[in-house]
């Protein structure tokens, strides 16, 4: 592992725009996604963060101005691309602006505000759509993203690229296949898979049990709110030495798997218990996983590592719902929850549990 340079703690006013940006993209993702169905008739510098926000604002404004189904899908495509560009850049900025001893708390706080965005997105998005349709929602999103972009440009310091040694493809492959990268990334992918399944399928379970939209919507809010509460606490515990990365990730995976198992129970109790446990597990995994990646990555390669980790999360985001949906198609939704629970409790857990062999003493 390379020696990390001592990084002075970023002033609070430099971090708030990043928190606001995380909230904005999360709010847009869930606020629009939660209200889209009813209307469908058919990397490392502040410049990169700012560029992602500007692209998100421009994509949002696209539909607000055009107001047609075709431009709606173009706007959503643009928002997705902008968010994909923004996420690894923001994660790298959080790491670069904070010393190693405070990165757990920094990632926990960043995750808290993203989770708040996920929590409030469906509710506030629904209010805006009720008041003025999707056009008003996209307009508000464009204005929020533009305002945060200006704030970031004024308050977030530029983080210039560091001198880098030449890297071969073999060097990159060796670093990305190292356990210090694979274990946290696998855990983050598993957490994202469970989060997507919880948001997408817990309302289905609730509806099948005869619950109304208010109860099922509350379940999703419980999941996101629990994750929001747990993330800063997990980050502080890591920084204070009360929690190790390995213990936290293992506990998070087991808790998340338990949440999926709880979702198999019938009725409101299963939905709410599943949401709370999934939120707790993913809230543990997210800040610890990113802090672990930052600790094992040379400063000059932070953006590359965070981008690769985000790719792993995207695979989990897509793969989790596909696995559950496939199992549910062949059997029942309960079987889908069980399949993902087994994967979370077995695959990543085994990878994290394997220890490097202790070298034998020379005879």
């Amino acid at each position: 592992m390379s020696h990390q340079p001592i990084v002075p703690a970023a002033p609070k006013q430099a971090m708030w725009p990043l928190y606001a940006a995380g909230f904005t993209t999360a709010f847009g993702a869930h606020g629009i996604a939660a209200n889209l169905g009813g209307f469908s008739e058919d990397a490392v510098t502040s410049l990169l963060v700012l560029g992602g926000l500007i692209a998100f604002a421009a994509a949002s404004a696209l539909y607000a101005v055009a107001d047609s189904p075709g431009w709606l899908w173009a706007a959503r495509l643009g928002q997705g691309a902008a968010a994909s560009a923004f996420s690894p850049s923001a994660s790298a900025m959080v790491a670069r602006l904070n010393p190693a001893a405070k990165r757990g708390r920094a990632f926990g706080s960043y995750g808290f505000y993203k989770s708040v965005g996920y929590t409030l997105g469906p509710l506030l998005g629904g209010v805006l759509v009720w008041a003025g349709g999707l056009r008003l929602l996209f307009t508000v999103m464009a204005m929020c993203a533009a305002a945060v972009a200006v704030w970031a440009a004024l308050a977030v310091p530029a983080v210039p690229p560091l001198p880098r040694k030449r890297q071969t493809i073999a060097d990159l492959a060796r670093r990305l296949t190292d356990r210090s990268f694979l274990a946290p990334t696998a855990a983050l992918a598993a957490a994202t898979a469970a989060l997507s399944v919880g948001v997408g399928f817990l309302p289905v379970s609730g509806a099948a049990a005869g619950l109304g939209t208010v109860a099922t919507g509350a379940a999703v809010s419980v999941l996101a709110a629990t994750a929001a509460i747990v993330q800063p606490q997990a980050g502080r515990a890591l920084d204070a030495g009360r929690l190790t990365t390995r213990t936290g990730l293992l506990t998070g995976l087991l808790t998340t798997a338990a949440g999926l198992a709880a979702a198999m129970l019938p009725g409101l109790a299963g939905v709410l218990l599943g949401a709370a446990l999934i939120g707790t597990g993913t809230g543990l995994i997210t800040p610890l996983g990113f802090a672990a990646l930052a600790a094992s990555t040379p400063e000059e390669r932070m953006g590359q590592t965070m981008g690769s980790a985000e790719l792993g999360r995207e695979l989990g985001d897509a793969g989790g719902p596909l696995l559950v949906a496939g199992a549910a198609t062949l059997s029942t939704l309960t079987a889908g929850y069980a399949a993902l629970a087994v994967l979370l409790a077995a695959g990543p857990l085994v990878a994290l549990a394997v220890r490097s062999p202790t070298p034998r003493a020379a005879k």
Side-chain angles (χ1 to χ4, degrees):
M1 183 187 301
S2 62
H3 295 286
Q4 304 285 2
I6 298 176
V7 181
K12 289 185 178 180
Q13 60 266 31
M15 295 302 299
W16 280 110
L18 292 178
Y19 298 155
F23 170 86
T24 299
T25 54
F27 168 75
H30 276 204
I32 294 171
N35 293 281
L36 198 58
F39 284 80
S40 297
E41 297 180 359
D42 358 27
V44 185
T45 66
S46 57
L47 179 61
L48 286 177
V49 174
L50 183 60
L53 287 172
I54 291 174
F56 190 88
S60 301
L62 187 65
Y63 177 76
V65 174
D67 191 22
S68 69
W71 288 113
L72 168 62
W73 299 116
R76 288 297 287 155
L77 178 63
Q79 285 179 330
S84 296
F86 165 81
S87 294
S89 301
S91 299
M93 283 287 289
V94 172
R96 290 284 303 277
L97 289 174
N98 291 276
K102 294 187 176 181
R103 282 176 179 164
R105 183 172 183 173
F107 278 113
S109 297
Y110 178 70
F112 169 82
Y113 288 101
K114 287 196 73 171
S115 294
V116 170
Y118 288 136
T119 304
L120 297 181
L123 175 62
L124 297 182
V127 172
L128 290 171
V129 170
W130 172 80
L134 279 177
R135 193 170 191 176
L136 176 61
L137 177 57
F138 274 84
T139 299
V140 171
M141 286 306 312
M143 294 174 62
C144 287
V148 174
V150 172
W151 187 13
L154 296 175
V156 179
V159 181
L162 296 173
R164 292 178 294 180
K165 296 180 180 179
R166 185 173 181 177
Q167 178 181 251
T168 66
I169 295 178
D171 293 331
L172 176 61
R174 191 179 305 112
R175 191 156 59 82
L176 296 185
T177 54
D178 188 82
R179 184 176 179 274
S180 63
F181 174 83
L182 286 179
T185 301
L188 287 168
T192 307
L195 183 64
S196 297
V197 167
V199 170
F201 289 95
L202 284 178
V204 177
S205 295
L211 303 177
T213 55
V214 174
T216 55
V220 175
S221 295
V222 166
L223 192 160
T226 305
I229 293 170
V230 170
Q231 288 191 62
Q233 302 301 323
R236 292 189 188 99
L238 177 67
D239 291 343
R242 300 192 305 270
L243 182 66
T244 65
T245 299
R246 182 177 183 275
T247 299
L249 293 181
L250 285 171
T251 302
L253 287 168
L254 289 173
T255 304
T256 305
L260 290 165
M264 299 165 61
L265 300 175
L268 180 61
V271 172
L272 290 180
L273 182 59
L277 288 174
I278 292 172
T280 300
T282 57
L284 270 173
I285 292 169
T286 303
L288 301 184
F290 278 116
L293 288 171
S296 64
T297 301
E299 293 286 327
E300 68 274 11
R301 300 292 180 186
M302 196 67 71
Q304 186 180 71
T305 294
M306 294 302 175
S308 300
E310 287 291 344
L311 176 60
R313 295 184 76 198
E314 292 297 330
L315 291 175
D317 191 29
L322 283 175
L323 173 64
V324 172
T329 300
L330 295 175
S331 181
T332 63
L333 182 55
T334 298
Y337 290 140
L340 185 58
V342 169
L343 182 62
L344 262 64
L349 190 149
V350 169
L352 289 169
V354 173
R355 294 177 180 272
S356 300
T358 304
R360 295 182 179 180
K363 296 183 179 180

